[in-house]
Amino acid sequence: MQKYQLQHPSTPSADEGVTTDNTKYTEEELNSMTVDQLKTIAKNKGITGYSSLNKADLISAILTKEGA
């Protein structure tokens, strides 16, 4: 049986090799993502120190980087 993962069309998966992420996310969208997805977004947005952040801090850092 094949597994399917539903996600926002522009949401990178944890293993996706996106180099830059200019997507603007809402807080609601970010809250629905996994920590691995948030870390991928943070990495692609050039946020330093993202690997040690918890989910709430990742969301805050992403929203801050986006200028929200």
Side-chain angles (χ1 to χ4, degrees):
M1 185 183 302
Q2 196 170 14
K3 284 178 136 180
Y4 294 96
Q5 181 180 5
L6 298 177
Q7 62 184 27
H8 188 281
S10 63
T11 304
S13 64
D15 59 336
E16 195 171 315
V18 179
T19 55
T20 59
D21 187 354
N22 296 322
T23 306
K24 294 263 187 176
Y25 298 94
T26 66
E27 188 171 357
E28 184 177 294
E29 287 174 320
L30 295 172
N31 273 310
S32 71
M33 295 180 192
T34 66
V35 171
D36 285 341
Q37 289 172 317
L38 293 170
K39 286 182 178 182
T40 299
I41 292 168
K43 177 182 178 183
N44 294 335
K45 289 186 176 290
I47 298 170
T48 59
Y50 70 89
S51 62
S52 62
L53 298 177
N54 63 29
K55 186 171 184 171
D57 290 338
L58 282 163
I59 291 169
S60 178
I62 293 166
L63 291 173
T64 298
K65 183 74 171 187
E66 292 180 344

